[in-house]
Short mmCIF file of all heavy atoms in Angstrom, two decimals:
data_model
loop_
_atom_site.label_atom_id
_atom_site.label_comp_id
_atom_site.label_asym_id
_atom_site.label_seq_id
_atom_site.Cartn_x
_atom_site.Cartn_y
_atom_site.Cartn_z
N ALA A 1169 49.60 -24.40 0.98
CA ALA A 1169 50.76 -23.67 0.48
C ALA A 1169 51.03 -24.09 -0.96
O ALA A 1169 50.76 -25.23 -1.34
CB ALA A 1169 51.98 -23.95 1.35
N PRO A 1170 51.55 -23.19 -1.78
CA PRO A 1170 51.89 -23.57 -3.16
C PRO A 1170 52.94 -24.68 -3.17
O PRO A 1170 53.76 -24.80 -2.26
CB PRO A 1170 52.45 -22.29 -3.76
CG PRO A 1170 52.01 -21.19 -2.86
CD PRO A 1170 51.80 -21.79 -1.52
N LEU A 1171 52.91 -25.48 -4.21
CA LEU A 1171 53.84 -26.59 -4.32
C LEU A 1171 55.27 -26.08 -4.43
O LEU A 1171 55.55 -25.11 -5.12
CB LEU A 1171 53.50 -27.44 -5.55
CG LEU A 1171 52.16 -28.17 -5.50
CD1 LEU A 1171 51.93 -28.88 -6.81
CD2 LEU A 1171 52.13 -29.16 -4.35
N GLY A 1172 56.19 -26.75 -3.74
CA GLY A 1172 57.59 -26.40 -3.82
C GLY A 1172 58.03 -25.29 -2.87
O GLY A 1172 59.16 -24.87 -2.91
N THR A 1173 57.14 -24.82 -2.03
CA THR A 1173 57.54 -23.78 -1.08
C THR A 1173 57.38 -24.31 0.33
O THR A 1173 56.44 -25.02 0.64
CB THR A 1173 56.66 -22.52 -1.24
OG1 THR A 1173 55.30 -22.89 -1.02
CG2 THR A 1173 56.82 -21.91 -2.61
N GLU A 1174 58.33 -24.00 1.13
CA GLU A 1174 58.26 -24.37 2.54
C GLU A 1174 58.44 -23.12 3.36
O GLU A 1174 59.32 -22.30 3.08
CB GLU A 1174 59.34 -25.39 2.87
CG GLU A 1174 59.17 -26.71 2.15
CD GLU A 1174 60.25 -27.70 2.52
OE1 GLU A 1174 60.99 -27.45 3.49
OE2 GLU A 1174 60.36 -28.72 1.84
N PHE A 1175 57.64 -23.00 4.35
CA PHE A 1175 57.72 -21.83 5.21
C PHE A 1175 58.37 -22.22 6.52
O PHE A 1175 57.94 -23.16 7.18
CB PHE A 1175 56.32 -21.25 5.47
CG PHE A 1175 55.66 -20.76 4.21
CD1 PHE A 1175 54.63 -21.47 3.62
CD2 PHE A 1175 56.08 -19.59 3.60
CE1 PHE A 1175 54.03 -21.03 2.47
CE2 PHE A 1175 55.48 -19.14 2.45
CZ PHE A 1175 54.46 -19.85 1.88
N ALA A 1176 59.42 -21.51 6.88
CA ALA A 1176 60.12 -21.79 8.13
C ALA A 1176 59.63 -20.80 9.18
O ALA A 1176 59.31 -19.66 8.87
CB ALA A 1176 61.62 -21.62 7.92
N PRO A 1177 59.58 -21.24 10.44
CA PRO A 1177 59.22 -20.30 11.49
C PRO A 1177 60.24 -19.16 11.56
O PRO A 1177 61.36 -19.28 11.08
CB PRO A 1177 59.24 -21.14 12.76
CG PRO A 1177 59.18 -22.57 12.31
CD PRO A 1177 59.74 -22.59 10.93
N ALA A 1178 59.88 -18.09 12.19
CA ALA A 1178 60.72 -16.89 12.22
C ALA A 1178 62.05 -17.14 12.91
O ALA A 1178 63.08 -16.62 12.50
CB ALA A 1178 59.98 -15.76 12.90
N GLU A 1179 62.09 -17.96 13.99
CA GLU A 1179 63.35 -18.17 14.70
C GLU A 1179 64.32 -19.06 13.93
O GLU A 1179 65.51 -19.05 14.16
CB GLU A 1179 63.12 -18.70 16.11
CG GLU A 1179 62.38 -20.02 16.17
CD GLU A 1179 60.90 -19.85 16.41
OE1 GLU A 1179 60.42 -18.71 16.52
OE2 GLU A 1179 60.20 -20.87 16.49
N GLU A 1180 63.85 -19.85 12.98
CA GLU A 1180 64.70 -20.74 12.21
C GLU A 1180 65.08 -20.16 10.85
O GLU A 1180 65.77 -20.80 10.08
CB GLU A 1180 64.00 -22.08 12.01
CG GLU A 1180 63.76 -22.83 13.30
CD GLU A 1180 63.02 -24.14 13.06
OE1 GLU A 1180 62.95 -24.58 11.89
OE2 GLU A 1180 62.51 -24.70 14.02
N ALA A 1181 64.62 -18.98 10.53
CA ALA A 1181 64.91 -18.41 9.22
C ALA A 1181 66.39 -18.05 9.13
O ALA A 1181 66.97 -17.55 10.10
CB ALA A 1181 64.06 -17.16 8.99
N PRO A 1182 67.03 -18.35 8.01
CA PRO A 1182 68.46 -18.03 7.88
C PRO A 1182 68.66 -16.52 7.84
O PRO A 1182 67.83 -15.77 7.32
CB PRO A 1182 68.86 -18.68 6.56
CG PRO A 1182 67.58 -18.83 5.80
CD PRO A 1182 66.50 -18.99 6.83
N ALA A 1183 69.78 -16.10 8.40
CA ALA A 1183 70.09 -14.68 8.41
C ALA A 1183 70.58 -14.27 7.03
O ALA A 1183 71.17 -15.06 6.30
CB ALA A 1183 71.15 -14.39 9.46
N ALA A 1184 70.37 -13.03 6.71
CA ALA A 1184 70.82 -12.51 5.41
C ALA A 1184 72.33 -12.36 5.43
O ALA A 1184 72.91 -11.94 6.45
CB ALA A 1184 70.15 -11.19 5.12
N PRO A 1185 73.03 -12.70 4.35
CA PRO A 1185 74.49 -12.55 4.33
C PRO A 1185 74.89 -11.07 4.35
O PRO A 1185 74.14 -10.21 3.89
CB PRO A 1185 74.89 -13.22 3.02
CG PRO A 1185 73.66 -13.20 2.17
CD PRO A 1185 72.51 -13.24 3.11
N GLU A 1186 76.06 -10.83 4.94
CA GLU A 1186 76.58 -9.47 5.00
C GLU A 1186 76.97 -9.02 3.59
O GLU A 1186 77.52 -9.80 2.81
CB GLU A 1186 77.82 -9.41 5.91
CG GLU A 1186 77.51 -9.71 7.36
CD GLU A 1186 76.68 -8.59 7.98
OE1 GLU A 1186 76.88 -7.41 7.62
OE2 GLU A 1186 75.81 -8.90 8.82
N PRO A 1187 76.72 -7.77 3.26
CA PRO A 1187 77.11 -7.30 1.92
C PRO A 1187 78.63 -7.21 1.82
O PRO A 1187 79.32 -6.83 2.76
CB PRO A 1187 76.46 -5.93 1.81
CG PRO A 1187 76.17 -5.50 3.20
CD PRO A 1187 76.01 -6.75 4.01
N ALA A 1188 79.14 -7.59 0.68
CA ALA A 1188 80.59 -7.57 0.45
C ALA A 1188 81.05 -6.15 0.15
O ALA A 1188 80.27 -5.33 -0.31
CB ALA A 1188 80.96 -8.50 -0.71
N GLU A 1189 82.34 -5.90 0.42
CA GLU A 1189 82.93 -4.59 0.11
C GLU A 1189 82.93 -4.42 -1.41
O GLU A 1189 83.39 -5.31 -2.12
CB GLU A 1189 84.35 -4.50 0.64
CG GLU A 1189 84.42 -4.35 2.13
CD GLU A 1189 84.04 -2.94 2.56
OE1 GLU A 1189 84.32 -1.98 1.82
OE2 GLU A 1189 83.45 -2.81 3.64
N PRO A 1190 82.46 -3.32 -1.91
CA PRO A 1190 82.51 -3.13 -3.36
C PRO A 1190 83.95 -2.90 -3.80
O PRO A 1190 84.71 -2.18 -3.16
CB PRO A 1190 81.63 -1.92 -3.60
CG PRO A 1190 81.61 -1.18 -2.32
CD PRO A 1190 81.81 -2.23 -1.23
N SER A 1191 84.33 -3.56 -4.84
CA SER A 1191 85.68 -3.38 -5.35
C SER A 1191 85.64 -2.35 -6.48
O SER A 1191 85.00 -2.56 -7.49
CB SER A 1191 86.26 -4.71 -5.84
OG SER A 1191 85.44 -5.21 -6.88
N VAL A 1192 86.32 -1.25 -6.22
CA VAL A 1192 86.37 -0.18 -7.20
C VAL A 1192 87.78 -0.12 -7.75
O VAL A 1192 88.75 0.01 -6.99
CB VAL A 1192 85.98 1.17 -6.54
CG1 VAL A 1192 86.06 2.29 -7.54
CG2 VAL A 1192 84.61 1.06 -5.92
N PRO A 1193 87.96 -0.27 -9.04
CA PRO A 1193 89.33 -0.19 -9.59
C PRO A 1193 89.89 1.21 -9.46
O PRO A 1193 89.16 2.20 -9.63
CB PRO A 1193 89.16 -0.60 -11.05
CG PRO A 1193 87.71 -0.39 -11.36
CD PRO A 1193 86.98 -0.51 -10.06
N ARG A 1194 91.15 1.27 -9.08
CA ARG A 1194 91.79 2.57 -8.92
C ARG A 1194 92.45 2.97 -10.25
O ARG A 1194 93.08 2.16 -10.92
CB ARG A 1194 92.86 2.51 -7.85
CG ARG A 1194 92.24 2.27 -6.50
CD ARG A 1194 93.30 2.37 -5.47
NE ARG A 1194 92.72 2.07 -4.16
CZ ARG A 1194 93.41 2.08 -3.06
NH1 ARG A 1194 94.68 2.35 -3.07
NH2 ARG A 1194 92.83 1.83 -1.93
N ALA A 1195 92.32 4.21 -10.53
CA ALA A 1195 92.95 4.70 -11.75
C ALA A 1195 94.38 5.10 -11.42
O ALA A 1195 94.66 5.85 -10.50
CB ALA A 1195 92.19 5.90 -12.29
N GLU A 1196 95.39 4.54 -12.16
CA GLU A 1196 96.81 4.86 -11.89
C GLU A 1196 97.40 5.55 -13.06
O GLU A 1196 97.21 5.47 -14.17
CB GLU A 1196 97.60 3.60 -11.57
CG GLU A 1196 97.16 3.02 -10.27
CD GLU A 1196 97.99 1.80 -9.96
OE1 GLU A 1196 99.15 1.71 -10.30
OE2 GLU A 1196 97.43 0.91 -9.32
#
Side-chain angles (χ1 to χ4, degrees):
L1171 294 176
T1173 59
E1174 295 181 12
F1175 297 106
E1179 59 263 1
E1180 296 178 15
E1186 294 292 324
E1189 286 285 327
S1191 60
V1192 179
R1194 294 186 183 180
E1196 292 182 32

